[in-house]
Amino acid sequence: MKRLINWQIMFAVILLALSAIFYCVHYIIFKDAHHIFIYMLGDIGFLFLDVLIVMLVLHRLLEYREKQSILKKLNMVIGTFFWEVGSVLLEKCTEFDEKQSEMSKQLIVTRDWTDQDFSRMKQKIKQHAVRVNCSLSDLDGLKTFLMEKRPFMLNLLGNSNLLEHESFTDLLWAVFHLTDELAHRNSLRGLPENDYTHLSGDMQRAYQHLLVQWLDYMNHLKQDYPYLFSLAMRTNPFDENASVEVA
């Protein structure tokens, strides 16, 4: 680091020296200091605009494009998550959803869906369109599944680029928290009512994050990978009539 700073200082000194030399040569040849200072002040004045354009506009634009490129690559990681964990977890969470039948009908994604349809559905989910009750189904089965997939999800956190994808990181933390809550209870039967309510809240948080991320992923497939979108539609966990076989 110190060597890099020394190199930068030396480079700056060389540039300043070359600039001074050329101004001296200009004066020796033309004997016109007035002309030199007019253009020098004009160049210095434009320098601030140059910095503004380069640092605040072009830099932001390049930063945005780089971030979009990283997020696009992260969709591969998200796809792996859904094939390995997410789709099955969605099926298991729907068993605890008191509005399962109503929500399932609205989550049958088709080729006709637009960006507005995806956004509208995500907004509805965020406004508590789902209502989880952890006493409706098999908590032990959910606990076993999450514990089995915990090493896989821990490996996903090893990807430092995931920090750029806040919504997916929030999903992982919500699922990890639910896993820990279930794992720390020796038995999930006969718990106090308040504890079931607490677990229902943890599950609802993870379920909502999962649904929103699933919709984002489906929209991404629809736009960029139609052949993967076709398979995702034919394996939609909310479609009771879904069949992987092409009719």
Side-chain angles (χ1 to χ4, degrees):
M1 185 66 181
K2 186 177 180 181
R3 181 180 297 178
L4 177 63
I5 293 174
N6 290 337
W7 179 86
Q8 290 175 337
I9 293 174
M10 184 179 298
F11 185 65
V13 170
I14 292 172
L15 291 177
L16 288 173
L18 288 172
S19 180
I21 289 170
F22 273 88
Y23 277 122
C24 288
V25 171
H26 186 283
Y27 179 75
I28 291 170
I29 295 173
F30 300 104
K31 305 294 184 181
D32 189 356
H34 177 73
H35 181 272
I36 291 174
F37 282 105
I38 286 177
Y39 278 93
M40 183 187 293
L41 288 174
D43 290 341
I44 292 174
F46 181 74
L47 181 61
F48 299 107
L49 292 176
D50 193 31
V51 171
L52 176 66
I53 293 171
V54 173
M55 296 299 293
L56 298 184
V57 179
L58 294 180
H59 178 70
R60 288 287 180 90
L61 179 61
L62 291 173
E63 191 178 61
Y64 172 78
R65 291 187 63 181
E66 182 181 0
K67 185 174 182 179
Q68 290 300 113
S69 177
I70 291 173
L71 291 178
K72 192 170 183 178
K73 292 177 182 177
L74 283 178
N75 279 317
M76 294 178 63
V77 179
I78 295 171
T80 303
F81 168 80
F82 275 106
W83 291 118
E84 185 70 24
V85 180
S87 295
V88 178
L89 185 56
L90 278 173
E91 291 179 0
K92 290 184 175 296
C93 286
T94 56
E95 296 173 1
F96 297 91
D97 187 1
E98 293 180 347
K99 298 183 177 181
Q100 175 187 358
S101 57
E102 177 186 340
M103 284 299 299
S104 293
K105 294 177 182 177
Q106 299 179 59
L107 287 168
I108 300 178
V109 180
T110 68
R111 288 187 176 85
D112 297 328
W113 276 44
T114 64
D115 289 344
Q116 290 73 25
D117 292 322
F118 283 104
S119 297
R120 195 180 303 114
M121 197 64 224
K122 286 194 297 181
Q123 192 61 34
K124 189 171 184 177
I125 290 168
K126 291 176 182 178
Q127 293 173 348
H128 306 288
V130 297
R131 186 163 60 226
V132 169
N133 184 343
C134 68
S135 62
L136 291 181
S137 190
D138 181 19
L139 272 180
D140 289 301
L142 178 63
K143 174 183 175 180
T144 300
F145 173 76
L146 289 174
M147 292 301 294
E148 288 175 352
K149 299 301 180 181
R150 185 181 175 87
F152 171 80
M153 292 188 290
L154 284 172
N155 285 334
L156 289 181
L157 286 180
N159 188 335
S160 58
N161 287 329
L162 278 177
L163 296 176
E164 300 289 336
H165 205 303
E166 294 181 8
S167 59
F168 185 64
T169 304
D170 290 342
L171 163 61
L172 284 181
W173 283 124
V175 174
F176 272 123
H177 179 71
L178 175 61
T179 305
D180 288 340
E181 288 280 0
L182 296 175
H184 278 81
R185 288 165 173 77
N186 295 325
S187 174
L188 295 172
R189 301 175 186 275
L191 295 174
E193 191 62 33
N194 286 340
D195 203 28
Y196 279 127
T197 301
H198 177 79
L199 289 174
S200 295
D202 291 331
M203 190 184 301
Q204 176 150 326
R205 184 188 306 110
Y207 186 36
Q208 284 179 313
H209 280 299
L210 188 61
L211 283 170
V212 169
Q213 197 60 58
W214 179 75
L215 287 168
D216 280 339
Y217 177 63
M218 291 292 284
N219 194 13
H220 161 69
L221 293 183
K222 181 178 181 294
Q223 292 178 3
D224 297 331
Y225 300 98
Y227 59 96
L228 290 177
F229 179 65
S230 172
L231 178 59
M233 285 193 301
R234 286 179 279 119
T235 55
N236 187 331
F238 300 101
D239 189 354
E240 295 179 356
N241 300 317
S243 172
V244 71
E245 297 177 359
V246 179

